[in-house]
Amino acid sequence: MTSTNPTLSPAGGASAPPTGLRPGRSSARAAETRRKWYEIVGLTTPAILVYVLFVLVPMGFAVYYSLFRWRGVGPPTEYVGFNNYLLAFQDPIFLDALRNNALIVVGSLLVQGPIALGAALLLNRRFRGRTVFRLLVFVPYVLAEVTVGIMWKLILTDGGTVDALLRSLGLGSWVQAWLADLDVVIWTLLLILTWKYVGFAIILLLAGLSNVPRELSEAAAIDGASWWQIQRHITLPLLGPTIRIWMFLSMIGSLQVFDVIWVTSVPAVRSLGASATMATYMVDNGFFARLWGYGNAVAVILFVISFVAALLFQRFLLRRDIEGAITRRVN
């Protein structure tokens, strides 16, 4: 029969085995925890201050001023409540701007997406001059929006490059008032936006394709899969997270688009709503018409629409990607 003897203390009695950390180790862990919190506070405080001062505070002022009829002179005193918001949704020009933004969102996704995906799949293959082609498709994106607007305004003006090219090809009947026709201008602007931003989508998709393991494609090819079958069943599913991220960025950018539309469009046409967006409408009515309260109300509406769209997109499309990127601690 065996038995265990208790540990004897210096006084000769039995002492219980230690049940916790020694005081020195406990204090060291507490000091390490405090040091980590000091690092977190020290590194995040500047960013939080910048975010509060340049995002939350201006948003608060925008909401405050949107409740007044204010022309920018002196403090706002004529309180109108939500009347500015009601006026915005009763204005047919603002409704046209909403429609144009929705058209740009849908058009950007349906036009830029297939073009960018096809170009990315082709540029991902090895061929001579691939680097040059990648550079060329990205050049429009790095051009300043003002430069793009002025350039296309000169190209599409009456008797400009496009009109001369169509006439030289015997297609003079196709010549349009590209930026002045109320039925054509929004489609013209959509094509300009596609030319400007499709390069970003291509580069983003190429970055996603670089993370697709080649071993899977090679194994599928050995098993007899064609190139199209490999892209459909292997490449596209693995490229899904990148495509969804691009869709999110394209949607938010389309809702807030301003520079290219503002520079390219004709003010008279824009004032009729044919080429207006929510951002250009806000500047036209808030800054130039000096209806600062009304302009702030439009800005708040634009923010709410963008915020809700971002939340819905994250909830229904990005949720799987976000959950896959989060690691939970298992106790």
Side-chain angles (χ1 to χ4, degrees):
M1 181 175 181
T2 61
S3 62
T4 57
N5 295 324
T7 304
L8 296 178
S9 64
S15 63
T19 58
L21 295 176
R22 289 179 296 180
R25 184 177 299 178
S26 177
S27 61
R29 176 168 294 186
E32 179 69 15
T33 302
R34 287 195 300 269
R35 185 183 65 82
K36 290 182 179 180
W37 275 108
Y38 292 153
E39 290 179 355
I40 293 173
V41 172
L43 293 173
T44 58
T45 297
I48 292 174
L49 289 176
V50 171
Y51 184 78
V52 171
L53 291 176
F54 293 98
V55 178
L56 296 183
V57 172
M59 285 172 52
F61 276 111
V63 174
Y64 173 74
Y65 288 132
S66 69
L67 303 177
F68 293 85
R69 182 176 289 110
W70 183 47
R71 301 191 68 88
V73 179
T77 57
E78 190 177 351
Y79 179 80
V80 295
F82 292 98
N83 189 53
N84 285 328
Y85 296 91
L86 296 177
L87 289 176
F89 285 104
Q90 292 173 358
D91 187 357
I93 305 302
F94 179 73
L95 298 180
D96 288 339
L98 279 174
R99 180 204 62 193
N100 292 338
N101 272 112
L103 180 62
I104 292 173
V105 170
V106 176
S108 296
L109 295 177
L110 296 183
V111 177
Q112 292 184 33
I115 294 175
L117 184 58
L121 291 175
L122 292 176
L123 292 175
N124 193 49
R125 308 181 72 177
R126 298 183 181 276
F127 60 90
R128 182 177 298 178
R130 182 178 66 168
T131 303
V132 176
F133 280 100
R134 288 186 174 188
L135 178 63
L136 291 177
V137 299
F138 194 62
V139 166
Y141 179 71
V142 300
L143 291 177
E145 279 77 4
V146 174
T147 303
V148 171
I150 295 175
M151 179 185 71
W152 278 101
K153 197 168 188 176
L154 294 174
I155 292 174
L156 296 172
T157 190
D158 187 20
T161 305
V162 172
D163 290 356
L165 178 62
L166 290 175
R167 290 191 176 98
S168 66
L169 296 175
L171 301 174
S173 60
W174 289 18
V175 173
Q176 302 284 337
W178 304 105
L179 299 176
D181 191 320
L182 301 183
D183 298 324
V184 175
V185 59
I186 189 60
W187 302 105
T188 303
L189 294 174
L190 181 59
L191 290 177
I192 295 174
L193 292 172
T194 300
W195 179 86
K196 173 73 171 73
Y197 294 108
V198 72
F200 171 74
I202 293 174
I203 295 299
L204 192 63
L205 293 176
L206 284 173
L209 287 171
S210 65
N211 295 322
V212 176
R214 291 187 175 274
E215 293 80 3
L216 297 177
S217 301
E218 293 172 355
I222 293 175
D223 290 338
S226 65
W227 185 83
W228 288 107
Q229 290 174 328
I230 293 173
Q231 307 311 313
R232 177 182 176 184
H233 298 288
I234 297 177
T235 303
L236 291 182
L238 294 177
L239 198 60
T242 305
I243 294 176
R244 286 187 286 272
I245 289 294
W246 167 77
M247 291 175 61
F248 177 78
L249 296 175
S250 179
M251 178 188 67
I252 298 301
S254 298
L255 288 174
Q256 300 176 352
V257 63
F258 171 77
D259 308 69
V260 176
I261 303 293
W262 180 266
V263 177
T264 309
S265 61
V266 180
V269 177
R270 193 170 63 241
S271 65
L272 296 175
S275 59
T277 63
M278 287 186 286
T280 62
Y281 180 88
M282 174 187 66
V283 174
D284 278 326
N285 290 273
F287 185 79
F288 289 101
R290 300 191 65 82
L291 300 175
W292 297 100
Y294 184 71
N296 278 282
V298 176
V300 173
I301 294 173
L302 174 57
F303 167 77
V304 171
I305 292 176
S306 301
F307 185 70
V308 171
L311 288 180
L312 292 176
F313 194 93
Q314 178 178 330
R315 174 65 176 81
F316 294 104
L317 293 178
L318 290 181
R319 181 180 180 182
R320 179 174 55 183
D321 302 329
I322 295 174
E323 289 180 348
I326 296 176
T327 57
R328 294 178 173 85
R329 183 176 180 180
V330 179
N331 295 325

